[in-house]
Amino acid sequence: MKVTIYDVAREANVSIATVSKVINNNGRISEKTRRKVREVMERLNYHPNMMASALMGKQTKTIGLLIPDLANPFFSELARSIEDRGHELGYNLVICSTDYQIDKENKYLSLLKQKGIDGFILASGFENLDKVEELMQEDIPVASVARDFPMFSINTVAIDDFMGGYLAASHLIKLGHKNIGIIALDVWSNRERLRGFKQALEENNLEFTPDFEFIQKTNNLLEASKFMTHKYLSGSKPPTAIFACNDLLAAGVIQAAKEMGMNVPEQLSVVGFDNTIIATIVEPTLTTIAQPIQSMGKEVMDLMVSMIEGEIKEKRRITLLPTLVERKSTVKLKSST
Amino acid sequence: MKVTIYDVAREANVSIATVSKVINNNGRISEKTRRKVREVMERLNYHPNMMASALMGKQTKTIGLLIPDLANPFFSELARSIEDRGHELGYNLVICSTDYQIDKENKYLSLLKQKGIDGFILASGFENLDKVEELMQEDIPVASVARDFPMFSINTVAIDDFMGGYLAASHLIKLGHKNIGIIALDVWSNRERLRGFKQALEENNLEFTPDFEFIQKTNNLLEASKFMTHKYLSGSKPPTAIFACNDLLAAGVIQAAKEMGMNVPEQLSVVGFDNTIIATIVEPTLTTIAQPIQSMGKEVMDLMVSMIEGEIKEKRRITLLPTLVERKSTVKLKSST
DNA sequence: TTGAAAGCGGTACCAC
DNA sequence: GTGGTACCGCTTTCAA
């Protein structure tokens, strides 16, 4: 049978209250008793049941992480970085993939709450925040990462997606491109990147491609991206560069271009977003807008823990800035005119 | 304040025992009472506290998943497939990356046990099984996936790694290659693949490359693989083909070859392993030994649930067979002699 | 410094 | 059918 605090108490000839105190290192205990109890715990291989203590209001040291898709490299890398910081701080993660589906988001939210999670880190879409608001009213710590909510008061660690889009477009424009396509999903971050992208075009009096439409939700981003790229490249006025709103989409662009016999970057420059491992694997390696994934993971976990430990009063938004990482998928446009 | 079973009972003018019965759909309850209790639960937005019921012996509906590295595409894809099946069956996953470190493995094992997890799915190295054995003695369900333990009695879903290695080598041999390099990590699965690889060489009277050594543990597999590849290709008798024991390593091989000005597959054929998304992203797309990731995830979760629900008596090992997926990274060796 | 006892939020056995 | 109640394993006053 499992060994409980009672077994330890009996074996050490003390009360369970005393044992509890030495476990938690509080209350006044004589060094002698403390030592004895410790010895018994060791000998019996005792480990306190966290559910029982959680029932009494202590933490579960477990945090819920909601992301769109664990199989997507950006999110798995992000999850890993959050996990790492959590590990240092003594927290575990229960990870849930939502596929951007509102009902999954809400379901996981209430399910994990029932399980007594200490807090939530949200990296999913959350176009609807009712449930999140509800949680926050109940004083359950909630933070968002890699997803900014400009009109909602929530602790956040994110990058400036608008700036990211702006950077991508600016880089391409600087290289001489005037006809630039963009591939994006209809999710918040991508909409922001799109906005930044358009801003840069506008400032340079360039026209936004009329062919644009969001990629619809799918479980095969690569194919969807290739499809869109085909559409662009076989249009009446094919772009000389494409900005894909994440590295996976960019990989699709590159593949599609090659399938159509085009050379990247000579005939088509491509910029990605995220700087995941994908960017270093594709050929040519991908010029991309880097998100500081490690820092984001660390920062949001730190934020979460300060919330849990009640060290934080005001809400805050930490915005990290994206940077351009130049690799081989972009090149100066050969002057044609 | 949180609403408890007492609130519901009071509001519905029944005892908590009755409420508990309607929650769990057991015991005899009149349709009328049932309806009333349901109505109150709804109105009060009541959700039972799972820790409390877990304390009384019920399940937490949470399973621990130990993998080497969540940021590695193979494992994140595997985790996602396990998660998906878990979701269908009502289970959540707490995911821990072990980096193949025994102390992390053991730490997570006891930590999650304290948290009242229903069972463990192990995909990590576990060169040392003491702790695992301990758990099994305590009747905690444990299953392993993508990792076979030939000398240990544990429920397992894995592929035949030996056969995988054999397939890879055979394919290359059939293409005419006689001097084939191999890149592998010093972990169980890779050692098996290596064994299968050698077996195929032997059957064809081919010599195993004397340059071989395992890649040491690192957090940058890509670079490590490139380094090994450089070594092979700049050796006295450079191979005409390389079998890399996972897709990431294969991506490294391809990159290194290109850096050295070699053409893949014309001058160097490459076979990977896993068939992750990487295989479709690299250029040329990767011929690889496919693991049926979806099936493995589903099967192991099903196995886990049958263990939890006590439907399974004997232990079983489910071995899925790997298959060769031919893409563009391998080609018939131009006869030189 | 130590321990008795009252919970935490449920479950389940056993009367009624 | 319904309810009283003894736990589950631990925390936390409050006395002693």
Side-chain angles (χ1 to χ4, degrees):
Chain A
M1 200 41 214
K2 294 200 43 35
V3 20
T4 73
I5 200 173
Y6 286 92
D7 302 318
V8 177
R10 186 174 344 98
E11 199 74 10
N13 289 312
V14 295
S15 72
I16 61 166
T18 303
V19 177
S20 175
K21 278 167 195 152
V22 354
I23 292 172
N24 298 293
N25 255 314
N26 59 15
R28 277 150 257 306
I29 302 282
S30 74
E31 196 45 48
K32 185 155 154 272
T33 328
R34 186 187 308 278
R35 228 193 307 282
K36 182 163 65 184
V37 172
R38 286 252 170 76
E39 181 267 315
V40 174
M41 296 196 327
E42 191 86 6
R43 180 153 53 77
L44 266 44
N45 191 25
Y46 168 73
H47 293 282
N49 179 324
M50 295 193 73
M51 290 183 301
S53 56
L55 244 197
M56 286 299 297
K58 296 201 106 185
Q59 297 160 22
T60 55
K61 293 287 182 182
T62 305
I63 287 173
L65 173 62
L66 271 58
I67 55 178
D69 179 13
L70 187 53
N72 176 317
F74 171 67
F75 290 108
S76 67
E77 289 179 27
L78 179 62
R80 176 58 145 113
S81 77
I82 297 176
E83 188 205 335
D84 281 347
R85 183 58 177 166
H87 178 238
E88 290 174 13
L89 269 28
Y91 287 84
N92 286 120
L93 251 38
V94 15
I95 301 179
C96 304
S97 298
T98 64
D99 295 313
Y100 288 114
Q101 290 170 216
I102 289 186
D103 56 330
K104 274 199 187 178
E105 292 172 346
N106 289 337
K107 186 184 153 192
Y108 284 133
L109 245 25
S110 58
L111 194 55
L112 297 193
K113 179 187 150 202
Q114 285 187 62
K115 294 192 179 180
I117 241 87
D118 291 333
F120 288 97
I121 296 178
L122 311 179
S124 183
F126 284 99
E127 302 286 339
N128 181 316
L129 286 163
D130 295 351
K131 196 86 191 168
V132 176
E133 227 158 343
E134 205 177 281
L135 288 175
M136 293 175 67
Q137 252 137 244
E138 299 176 56
D139 272 319
I140 297 177
V142 182
S144 80
V145 63
R147 164 69 161 103
D148 200 6
F149 294 95
M151 285 115 24
F152 187 65
S153 178
I154 182 174
N155 281 306
T156 301
V157 177
I159 61 149
D160 187 334
D161 284 299
F162 176 85
M163 182 177 174
Y166 187 87
L167 279 179
S170 301
H171 172 63
L172 257 8
I173 292 170
K174 203 175 306 166
L175 291 176
H177 295 276
K178 302 197 176 327
N179 184 358
I180 309 173
I182 175 168
I183 294 189
L185 302 173
D186 191 9
V187 299
W188 167 264
S189 60
N190 284 207
R191 288 193 296 268
E192 280 299 291
R193 292 166 198 175
L194 174 60
R195 214 164 56 78
F197 174 84
K198 281 182 174 172
Q199 172 74 23
L201 292 193
E202 216 166 276
E203 290 180 4
N204 290 273
N205 296 311
L206 294 177
E207 198 183 323
F208 179 66
T209 174
D211 288 350
F212 175 76
E213 57 188 278
F214 284 113
I215 281 186
Q216 42 208 341
K217 277 163 193 165
T218 165
N219 47 24
N220 196 333
L221 286 183
L222 207 60
E223 283 308 320
S225 173
K226 287 168 73 167
F227 184 80
M228 266 305 283
T229 305
H230 272 288
K231 213 183 96 186
Y232 272 133
L233 297 181
S234 57
S236 53
K237 223 177 55 170
T240 60
I242 291 182
F243 166 43
C245 282
N246 69 236
D247 289 348
L248 208 49
L249 295 175
V253 173
I254 293 179
Q255 278 189 13
K258 286 181 180 166
E259 284 175 11
M260 297 179 73
M262 296 184 73
N263 200 323
V264 176
E266 282 74 13
Q267 299 173 62
L268 183 74
S269 283
V270 181
V271 174
F273 206 110
D274 290 347
N275 197 29
T276 56
I277 193 168
I278 291 177
T280 66
I281 281 178
V282 291
E283 162 72 19
T285 54
L286 192 63
T287 294
T288 193
I289 306 298
Q291 300 207 45
I293 297 183
Q294 301 306 319
S295 306
M296 288 171 70
K298 175 184 182 312
E299 292 291 338
V300 74
M301 186 45 104
D302 285 348
L303 203 51
M304 174 54 53
V305 172
S306 351
M307 295 174 77
I308 292 175
E309 296 178 350
E311 293 168 357
I312 250 183
K313 344 154 242 324
E314 339 69 28
K315 300 250 191 304
R316 64 188 57 181
R317 172 158 50 214
I318 299 175
T319 305
L320 303 176
L321 301 187
T323 52
L324 175 75
V325 175
E326 284 195 62
R327 295 205 182 82
K328 307 292 182 59
S329 66
T330 50
V331 77
K332 208 167 172 62
L333 185 68
K334 292 190 188 70
S335 50
S336 44
T337 329
Chain B
M1 199 45 213
K2 292 199 46 36
V3 19
T4 75
I5 200 174
Y6 288 91
D7 302 319
V8 176
R10 185 174 345 98
E11 198 75 8
N13 291 312
V14 295
S15 72
I16 61 164
T18 302
V19 178
S20 177
K21 278 168 195 152
V22 354
I23 292 171
N24 298 292
N25 254 313
N26 59 16
R28 279 149 259 306
I29 302 282
S30 74
E31 196 44 48
K32 186 156 153 271
T33 330
R34 185 186 309 278
R35 226 194 307 281
K36 182 163 62 186
V37 173
R38 287 250 169 77
E39 181 266 316
V40 173
M41 297 197 324
E42 190 86 6
R43 181 152 53 77
L44 267 45
N45 191 24
Y46 167 74
H47 293 281
N49 177 326
M50 296 193 74
M51 290 183 301
S53 55
L55 244 197
M56 286 298 296
K58 295 202 108 183
Q59 298 160 21
T60 57
K61 293 289 182 181
T62 305
I63 287 174
L65 173 62
L66 270 58
I67 56 177
D69 178 14
L70 186 53
N72 176 316
F74 171 68
F75 290 108
S76 66
E77 288 179 27
L78 180 62
R80 176 58 144 112
S81 78
I82 296 176
E83 188 205 335
D84 281 346
R85 184 57 176 166
H87 178 238
E88 291 174 12
L89 269 28
Y91 287 84
N92 287 120
L93 251 39
V94 15
I95 302 179
C96 304
S97 298
T98 64
D99 295 313
Y100 288 114
Q101 291 170 216
I102 291 185
D103 57 330
K104 274 198 188 180
E105 291 173 346
N106 289 337
K107 185 183 154 192
Y108 284 133
L109 246 25
S110 59
L111 193 55
L112 297 193
K113 179 187 150 203
Q114 284 187 61
K115 294 192 179 180
I117 240 89
D118 291 333
F120 287 98
I121 296 179
L122 311 180
S124 183
F126 284 99
E127 302 286 340
N128 181 316
L129 286 163
D130 295 352
K131 195 86 191 171
V132 175
E133 227 158 340
E134 204 176 283
L135 287 175
M136 292 175 69
Q137 252 137 244
E138 299 177 54
D139 272 321
I140 297 177
V142 182
S144 78
V145 64
R147 165 68 161 103
D148 200 5
F149 294 94
M151 287 115 25
F152 187 66
S153 179
I154 182 174
N155 281 307
T156 301
V157 177
I159 62 149
D160 188 334
D161 284 300
F162 176 86
M163 183 177 175
Y166 187 88
L167 279 179
S170 301
H171 172 63
L172 258 8
I173 293 170
K174 204 174 306 163
L175 291 177
H177 295 276
K178 300 197 179 326
N179 184 357
I180 308 174
I182 175 168
I183 292 188
L185 303 174
D186 191 9
V187 299
W188 166 265
S189 60
N190 283 207
R191 290 193 295 269
E192 280 301 291
R193 293 168 197 174
L194 174 60
R195 213 164 56 78
F197 175 83
K198 281 181 171 171
Q199 171 73 24
L201 291 191
E202 215 165 275
E203 289 181 5
N204 290 273
N205 297 310
L206 295 177
E207 198 183 322
F208 180 66
T209 173
D211 289 349
F212 175 76
E213 58 187 278
F214 284 114
I215 282 188
Q216 40 207 343
K217 276 161 195 167
T218 165
N219 46 24
N220 195 336
L221 285 183
L222 207 60
E223 283 308 320
S225 174
K226 286 168 75 167
F227 185 80
M228 267 304 284
T229 305
H230 272 287
K231 213 184 95 184
Y232 272 133
L233 296 182
S234 56
S236 55
K237 223 178 57 170
T240 60
I242 292 183
F243 167 42
C245 281
N246 67 235
D247 290 347
L248 209 47
L249 295 174
V253 173
I254 293 179
Q255 278 188 12
K258 286 181 181 168
E259 285 175 10
M260 297 180 71
M262 297 185 71
N263 199 323
V264 177
E266 281 74 12
Q267 299 173 62
L268 183 75
S269 282
V270 181
V271 175
F273 206 111
D274 290 346
N275 196 29
T276 56
I277 192 168
I278 291 177
T280 67
I281 281 178
V282 291
E283 161 72 20
T285 54
L286 192 64
T287 294
T288 193
I289 307 297
Q291 301 208 45
I293 297 184
Q294 300 307 318
S295 305
M296 290 171 69
K298 175 185 181 314
E299 292 291 339
V300 76
M301 184 47 101
D302 285 347
L303 203 49
M304 175 53 53
V305 172
S306 351
M307 295 174 78
I308 292 174
E309 297 179 348
E311 293 167 357
I312 249 182
K313 343 151 245 321
E314 339 71 28
K315 300 252 191 303
R316 62 189 57 183
R317 172 157 49 214
I318 300 176
T319 305
L320 303 176
L321 302 187
T323 51
L324 175 74
V325 176
E326 285 195 62
R327 293 206 182 82
K328 307 292 182 58
S329 66
T330 50
V331 77
K332 209 167 172 60
L333 185 68
K334 292 189 188 72
S335 50
S336 43
T337 330

